[in-house]
Amino acid sequence: MKKIYTLIGAVLFSSALLAQSSFSDDFESYNVGDYLGPQPQWTTWSGASSTTEDTQVNNVMNNTPSGSKSAYWSSTIATGGPQDCILPFGGAYNTGTFTYQMDMYVEANKGAYFNFQGNVTPGQSFAMECYMPQTGAFTMQNTQGLLLTGNYPTGQWFTFRFDINLNSNVWSVFINNVLQGSFSNTVNQIAAIDIFAYNGAAPGNNNAGFYVDNVSYVHTPYTLPTLNAAVTQIGGVNSGLATMQKYPVITVRNLGTTAITSFDLNVTYNSANINQSFTSLNLASLATGTYTLTTPITLAAGSLPIVATVSNVNGMFSDGDPSDDSKTDFLNPVVPAPGKVVVGEEATGTWCPWCVRGTVNMDLMENNYPGFWAGIAVHNNDPMTVTSYDASIGGFISGYPSALVDRGAAVDPSVMESPFLTRVQVAPTAIITNGASVNGNQLTVTLTYTFPNATSGTGFNYACVLTEDGVTGVGSTWSQNNAYAGGSQGPMGGFETLPNPVPYTQMHYDHVARAISPSWTGTSGGFPASITAGQQFTFTFTFTVDPTWDLANMHIIGMLMAPNADMDNAGTGLMSQALGLGINTNTAVETNFRLYPNPASDVTYANIELATSTNVSMKVIDITGAVVAEKNYGAMIGTNMLPIQTSAFAKGIYMVEIQTGTTVKTTKLIVQ
């Protein structure tokens, strides 16, 4: 039975009746073999129905939760499909409450996938993607990162339910009426569900097979009061490790009819209590703004609440709906093992249109976990290829893009964070530090391995990798193919605003593997069978400097491979530090200054620390090389937060260049 109806509810708010939009479909009114596409409300990704893209009603699973009919999706194609069906929800909802529910049966040794679209037009915005590989685990994420993980039953019917409060931005997920977790969504809008036959994302086995039944949704709208500011998200602090400093980024939405011109924000966490006023605003009705506090919090071990509260809106004591003035999240940062550095090796190439996904996510990992992450882009069949490195990683992946985290199972670069958070907690066998010297075109790197505990060195190998940031070149082979051009595949760190291919004049490449010594497997036999606590071993590696390398933009990554061939630990550092290049003895600048937040939409802050009074200037450069903003700050000292109003920039990729004295540092900024 299928129902599409509107209810006039008995819920009274601000003296107005709220209308509920509802829909349900149990497929019982259809004939076996009917396609979904021609039915009212259902469609497909392309809009074509009764084709291989569509799916059919069947009675194979005659033990469905209600009746005997259901719909079935299956695929053995690595890229998924062709079945790709969409159920529009009648509009794009971003206020009120929304409940979606469906029964699913995922066949044994097969997987499933679905996503929520944020806009009515498919592909413009992926609010949430749910990957359900054959392992029985699920991962919910969007292009901004991980949202929720958990487990689902395989080989049996179960009920997925989403209870979403779009006003407060709380998305709660239930399986068989048991709460699996809640999250705040960076895309707090929902317009449709896309059910796609896919199980290709690692650790999927490319085999998708699942049934769906009893699909329903209910949307209850919200009547805006005159004045109402709502805290909808606490960001900037959700990714990070214990002891790291993070600047809270609070999302405030105007859920009233009157423009908001000012308010106060209060954030409490652990022992921190931060207050900051924001004035001279013009936040229109239903508009959203992000506001970064200039005082950081220090992430602490354990599950601790962080509370953000908006008050004094437009100078008023209270607003029209106090229920959404505060938002509480719980931060439970991973506690890293002392000295642990995780290696991420990404298989990529300029020819690969989907590899921009790796480009964006490698940068995000570097921005979110500096000092704990050593990213290496291993290029294939393009001018940056290191033949031996490329050939070795090729034996561990099944396609592009792919990534290995500490030499574990291959994963899509978009999900590197999950294995990273597992690996960063594993205590390393040795801590690695590095040094370097140059004589002519000969570069000598020294790696020192310090063993904090007594152990056996049998089976441990060591190696050294050099990487470079900001690599550019001339010619079509340096242009990056871009599957995200035009935005039909959703946002991807600004690449959705760039053409396909992205011309070489607009591209630079980071984390590029330049050399590996001696090989993928490293050198064996360097450590004795018996190692005492505190014992150190130093090894040297000699490289011939290629004239195209820029040593000032390079990193040294020392590696320690475990007897099982996984990466035990790494040590990473700037080549310029190891060589003493470009060091201004009158200035102590934080190496690789950070931007908070990054990506940013309204404002980001450049954080630098200066030990002595030093002249500071900053430029923001777009991807064409044009300077879109610059400022000379004059002499500064101490810790400084320099704001960059990104709301004035078009979406895309920029370089922020800060000069302190005679030292120039650059980093990438993504405006979304």
Side-chain angles (χ1 to χ4, degrees):
M1 177 174 60
K2 171 179 285 188
K3 300 177 183 177
I4 306 174
Y5 50 91
T6 299
L7 300 178
I8 302 299
V11 181
L12 190 65
F13 188 87
S14 300
S15 302
L17 289 174
L18 302 179
Q20 287 185 331
S21 299
S22 304
F23 167 86
S24 67
D25 195 351
D26 61 8
F27 308 116
E28 294 302 313
S29 63
Y30 307 139
N31 297 316
V32 172
D34 282 352
Y35 284 96
L36 285 188
Q39 312 306 323
Q41 192 124 343
W42 287 96
T43 184
T44 64
W45 185 273
S46 69
S49 60
S50 303
T51 66
T52 55
E53 188 182 22
D54 206 347
T55 195
Q56 294 171 280
V57 175
N58 68 82
N59 61 357
V60 174
M61 296 292 292
N62 55 18
N63 61 336
T64 63
S66 63
S68 61
K69 297 173 185 175
S70 60
Y72 181 64
W73 281 258
S74 68
S75 177
T76 58
I77 305 171
T79 54
Q83 290 171 302
D84 196 357
C85 297
I86 289 181
L87 175 64
F89 297 146
Y93 304 119
N94 55 28
T95 61
T97 60
F98 189 91
T99 296
Y100 176 83
Q101 182 170 303
M102 66 180 171
D103 294 328
M104 296 187 73
Y105 184 107
V106 182
E107 295 177 301
N109 299 316
K110 296 183 180 181
Y113 168 89
F114 63 91
N115 68 68
F116 287 135
Q117 292 289 300
N119 292 344
V120 172
T121 302
Q124 290 184 343
S125 173
F126 286 74
M128 186 279 297
E129 296 182 83
C130 183
Y131 296 87
M132 304 168 64
Q134 69 285 350
T135 59
F138 70 79
T139 299
M140 294 181 183
Q141 64 183 69
N142 59 23
T143 55
Q144 301 301 307
L146 185 67
L147 298 171
L148 185 68
T149 60
N151 297 295
Y152 72 91
T154 60
Q156 59 182 284
W157 283 101
F158 66 93
T159 302
F160 244 139
R161 188 177 90 241
F162 293 81
D163 288 347
I164 305 169
N165 188 322
L166 293 163
N167 289 356
S168 58
N169 191 9
V170 177
W171 296 51
S172 298
V173 181
F174 297 81
I175 291 181
N176 293 333
N177 294 319
V178 177
L179 179 66
Q180 305 299 300
S182 300
F183 56 86
S184 296
N185 199 335
T186 51
V187 184
N188 188 38
Q189 182 166 296
I190 190 166
I193 186 171
D194 171 31
I195 305 175
F196 181 43
Y198 176 63
N199 189 30
N205 61 8
N206 299 333
N207 293 314
F210 59 98
Y211 296 83
V212 172
D213 197 8
N214 295 320
V215 176
S216 66
Y217 70 79
V218 177
H219 175 249
T220 303
Y222 176 73
T223 299
L224 304 181
T226 302
L227 182 66
N228 182 28
V231 177
T232 61
Q233 189 165 7
I234 303 173
V237 296
N238 310 92
S239 61
L241 306 173
T243 73
M244 291 178 66
Q245 284 196 330
K246 292 286 183 175
Y247 293 84
V249 181
I250 311 303
T251 301
V252 176
R253 190 174 186 202
N254 185 350
L255 290 178
T257 59
T258 303
I260 293 175
T261 58
S262 64
F263 54 72
D264 297 337
L265 283 177
N266 172 261
V267 172
T268 60
Y269 171 74
N270 202 11
S271 60
N273 186 6
I274 306 169
N275 294 283
Q276 189 168 335
S277 297
F278 294 85
T279 59
S280 301
L281 308 177
N282 186 22
L283 192 63
S285 177
L286 293 180
T288 296
T290 55
Y291 305 90
T292 303
L293 302 187
T294 55
T295 302
I297 63 171
T298 300
L299 299 182
S303 181
L304 298 174
I306 181 169
V307 182
T309 303
V310 63
S311 63
N312 196 29
V313 182
N314 289 3
M316 303 296 290
F317 179 74
S318 63
D319 63 13
D321 186 359
S323 68
D324 54 22
D325 290 351
S326 292
K327 187 173 185 63
T328 301
D329 284 345
F330 282 82
L331 304 183
N332 190 13
V334 166
V335 179
K340 177 67 175 180
V341 177
V342 178
V343 174
E345 294 165 295
E346 174 210 7
T348 185
T350 62
W351 55 268
C352 168
W354 299 102
C355 286
V356 296
R357 189 161 67 244
T359 300
V360 171
N361 283 281
M362 287 282 278
D363 285 344
L364 287 174
M365 291 297 293
E366 180 67 31
N367 287 332
N368 290 337
Y369 302 104
F372 297 93
W373 172 259
I376 306 170
V378 184
H379 280 254
N380 168 266
N381 199 29
D382 68 23
M384 291 165 281
T385 301
V386 177
T387 303
S388 62
Y389 209 162
D390 172 46
S392 295
I393 198 173
F396 291 82
I397 64 171
S398 58
Y400 290 79
S402 293
L404 306 178
V405 178
D406 269 359
R407 298 277 171 92
V411 298
D412 189 272
S414 63
V415 295
M416 292 185 294
E417 185 176 41
S418 181
F420 163 81
L421 292 174
T422 298
R423 291 294 302 169
V424 78
Q425 301 176 71
V426 179
T429 305
I431 313 299
I432 307 169
T433 56
N434 59 56
S437 63
V438 172
N439 184 7
N441 68 344
Q442 294 298 302
L443 169 68
T444 300
V445 174
T446 59
L447 298 179
T448 299
Y449 294 74
T450 302
F451 289 77
N453 302 302
T455 187
S456 171
T458 302
F460 283 91
N461 292 2
Y462 59 90
C464 181
V465 170
L466 305 181
T467 65
E468 184 177 351
D469 293 336
V471 178
T472 60
V474 176
S476 60
T477 56
W478 287 87
S479 298
Q480 177 65 59
N481 283 335
N482 178 19
Y484 292 87
S488 63
Q489 299 298 325
M492 185 49 64
F495 277 94
E496 69 276 10
T497 68
L498 300 176
N500 179 32
V502 183
Y504 66 87
T505 55
Q506 295 179 258
M507 283 300 304
H508 76 270
Y509 299 90
D510 294 333
H511 323 292
V512 176
R514 287 306 209 180
I516 184 170
S517 179
S519 65
W520 174 271
T521 55
T523 298
S524 61
F527 303 107
S530 178
I531 298 175
T532 59
Q535 194 167 359
Q536 292 185 333
F537 302 88
T538 299
F539 306 102
T540 61
F541 302 81
T542 301
F543 301 89
T544 300
V545 177
D546 189 293
T548 65
W549 295 357
D550 182 356
L551 295 180
N553 284 332
M554 295 184 72
H555 286 76
I556 299 169
I557 300 174
M559 296 177 168
L560 178 67
M561 292 85 159
N564 66 354
D566 286 349
M567 196 69 64
D568 180 277
N569 200 23
T572 182
L574 288 168
M575 181 75 74
S576 58
Q577 285 185 324
L579 294 172
L581 297 177
I583 302 298
N584 183 347
T585 57
N586 295 321
T587 306
V589 183
E590 183 183 76
T591 303
N592 282 351
F593 70 91
R594 300 283 312 285
L595 297 174
Y596 307 90
N598 189 11
S601 55
D602 292 329
V603 65
T604 188
Y605 294 84
N607 181 300
I608 63 171
E609 296 181 2
L610 302 167
T612 59
S613 180
T614 309
N615 287 327
V616 177
S617 62
M618 178 166 60
K619 293 180 181 178
V620 182
I621 304 167
D622 70 15
I623 203 162
T624 68
V627 176
V628 297
E630 61 180 321
K631 185 173 183 179
N632 189 334
Y633 294 89
M636 307 183 80
I637 191 172
T639 300
N640 298 271
M641 293 283 291
L642 309 181
I644 303 172
Q645 295 296 329
T646 56
S647 58
F649 303 153
K651 294 181 179 179
I653 300 172
Y654 297 81
M655 295 302 295
V656 177
E657 177 184 286
I658 288 186
Q659 181 168 349
T660 54
T662 59
T663 300
V664 177
K665 299 288 184 182
T666 61
T667 194
K668 184 184 295 183
L669 168 65
I670 298 172
V671 176
Q672 60 183 16

